[in-house]
Amino acid sequence: MRKFLILLEREMKSYFYSPIAYVVLCFFLVLTGFNAYTMISALNRGPTDITLVEAFFNNAIFWFAFIPLIPLLTMRLYSEEFKLGTIETLTTAPVNDWQVVASKFAGALLFYVVLWTPTVLYFVIFKYVTKEHAGQALGAFGGSYLLLLLMGAFYLSLGCLASVVTSNQIIAAIIALVLVVVFFFTGLLGYILGTASQGFRDFISYFSTIDHMRSFTRGLIDTRPIVFYLTMIGFFQVLTFQIFQFRKWKS
Amino acid sequence: MIKVENLSKRYAGHTAIKDLSFEVERGEIVGFLGPNGAGKSTTMKILSCFMPATGGRASVAGYDVFTQALEVRQHLGYMPENVPLYTEMRVNEYLEHRAALKGLGGKKLKMRVGEVKELTSLNDVQRKIIGTLSKGYRQRVGLADALVGEPDLLILDEPTIGLDPNQIRQVRDLIKNLGQKHTILLSTHILPEVEMTCSRVIILHKGRIEASDTPQNLLSQLRAVGNIRLEANTGADTGLEQLQKVPGIKEVTLDGGANGAEGVPAAVNGNGKAAESALPDADGYRTFNLRVEAGADPRAELFRLAVERKWTLRELARRRATLEDVFVEITHAE
Ligand SMILES: Nc1ncnc2c1ncn2[C@@H]1O[C@H](COP(=O)(O)OP(=O)(O)OP(=O)(O)O)[C@@H](O)[C@H]1O
Ligand SMILES: [Mg+2]
């Protein structure tokens, strides 16, 4: 555990050392701020039954901020270690490979959490100024952020996988983006293939991040997506671990 | 300290090392020599548990490198070739991170990092970002990293490459001193260095061990072989043909010639044919390097040849065999 924390500390530091991190941070704040602003303006236009939390998490701007974030956070993780050769010093120190894999994933997730944390403020300020509830209940609010975390963890683990297969950061970013987009749009297949059988659509609904978000922001906390995301995270981390060891042995 | 039995490593379709077996005792400083691609780095990567072998067994400090990798790593300081480092970190920060990873903490960590910075003369640059350091300084950071965990065994892949002469000497002394407490396995292409620091030499060639002995023994085996240096004005002859015919001579090479890069044979790694084009110097003299068969001493014969062909001799001397000769002798592609 101590080794894991030491590795995690380095992962976090390396985010804050790169200028790209600050660019991402700014870009991200502007985008989410803009998102909150437009949604509040929209709600101002007339009476409506959706809440700010629902509006904030279920629109194109939100997904536009979310999707590119994943490759940006994960492209460096393994690719750079392989490129620089630091994989050799890293894995010949007295640490287990699983500690390395876990610390990289945890580092990306922690930075992701740091990025989203300021958005909590939007809702707090909203409530303070308007004396209105931002979400339907604390459950919807908490549920939204829980799903945001799980969803992020799942897509970040896709990014980890993309980064471990190549030594080129740009290629890692492209693969990550493709994986994220493929999974994201698989969830939409249910809408396109309206004629498909019920069983197929049920299956597809597991992948439908958009649907999950919609129900969680309304306060409908379903355990199936939670189990789905946790399983997938486990699966992709194990896969990443295997490829990591394989590549190390080949080099 | 190190025990290697029938170790082999195959890369996709290509064998890097074949059936290596050797042992290194506690307190030894062993030099790994061999031409490029001989398998030195590969062996070191296996011993440091970076990658598994495809056959055979190896153990470090009594722990098997395949099944007890974590224990092995705890006893080992490894410096890979090309010294990979996190370029965005500062020297201090990097060393502290590495020390922590190797299980140090608190006051002990600070003290140890201070010690290794002292040993590798890194104090001037301790607050610099590693990416901005010159190659030699990076090399020292890598060395400091290998030392920081106070390992029993040091594996150093070309530790002095890229250092300035002062630093090379300093690192050499450092290695000698460390040898009193630690066991060291190092690879290098600088042969005099091996003669000066190592208690034993292992020469690898094409993935096999060709020799394993003290530098002194290797040299004494070779004393009979050695080299002869001959400087003569051969007039119209190039001299090569006649010299090659002298019994006991294995190979003739011509030194630089007109532009006179003295002591640098025209074709060290050649296939036995010296550069015919080498011109005599301004006075008409050519310098030949003659490799001699074991036990033969053709100097008298050479003198007679010179008299017979009316060559003027300016030098005819036997050169003391060096480790370089041993190296060339063993790894020379016939
Ligand atoms: N990842 C790899 N894939 C395939 N072949 C490899 C790989 N790494 C090394 N080799 C081959 O293994 C052989 C031994 O390489 P190694 O790096 O051990 O040589 P070396 O003795 O360290 O050479 P040098 O003096 O140049 O450092 C070489 O023929 C090399 O081409
Ligand atoms: Mg090498």
Side-chain angles (χ1 to χ4, degrees), chain B residues 24 27 36 47 84 187 202 243 252 334:
Chain B
V24 176
N36 294 133
L47 288 177
S187 79
I202 294 177
L243 287 171
V252 183
E334 296 300 334

Side-chain angles (χ1 to χ4, degrees), chain B residues 109-247:
Chain B
L109 183 146
K110 292 266 185 236
M111 233 174 63
R112 185 62 194 155
V113 169
E115 272 170 34
V116 295
K117 276 189 304 202
E118 197 66 47
L119 278 175
T120 50
S121 342
L122 276 172
N123 283 317
D124 299 344
V125 297
Q126 54 180 317
R127 269 180 263 286
K128 276 202 171 182
I129 291 171
I130 292 177
T132 66
L133 294 180
S134 69
K135 178 160 168 49
Y137 274 102
R138 288 188 203 196
Q139 195 83 16
R140 295 188 219 174
V141 176
L143 199 58
D145 168 25
L147 288 172
V148 81
E150 294 188 89
D152 297 328
L153 171 67
L154 277 170
I155 296 184
L156 309 172
D157 205 345
E158 307 195 14
T160 52
I161 194 170
L163 295 178
D164 66 53
N166 289 332
Q167 267 299 313
I168 290 187
R169 190 173 289 183
Q170 216 169 316
V171 168
R172 217 178 264 159
D173 291 342
L174 174 63
I175 289 175
K176 260 191 191 163
N177 280 335
L178 289 170
Q180 291 164 2
K181 265 200 285 178
H182 309 254
T183 312
I184 302 173
L185 177 66
L186 61 90
S187 79
T188 178
H189 290 294
I190 306 170
L191 295 167
E193 181 172 295
V194 180
E195 263 179 280
M196 274 179 253
T197 49
C198 296
S199 56
R200 193 148 64 89
V201 179
I202 294 177
I203 299 185
L204 272 182
H205 183 41
K206 294 188 177 157
R208 289 180 192 281
I209 293 181
E210 296 289 345
S212 165
D213 213 330
T214 61
Q216 291 75 25
N217 281 351
L218 285 176
L219 287 174
S220 67
Q221 281 163 25
L222 203 77
R223 187 161 309 133
V225 183
N227 268 286
I228 289 174
R229 191 177 146 90
L230 172 75
E231 207 179 325
N233 185 339
T234 54
D237 308 332
T238 56
L240 286 171
E241 246 173 76
Q242 292 85 352
L243 287 171
Q244 232 129 31
K245 284 197 195 117
V246 175

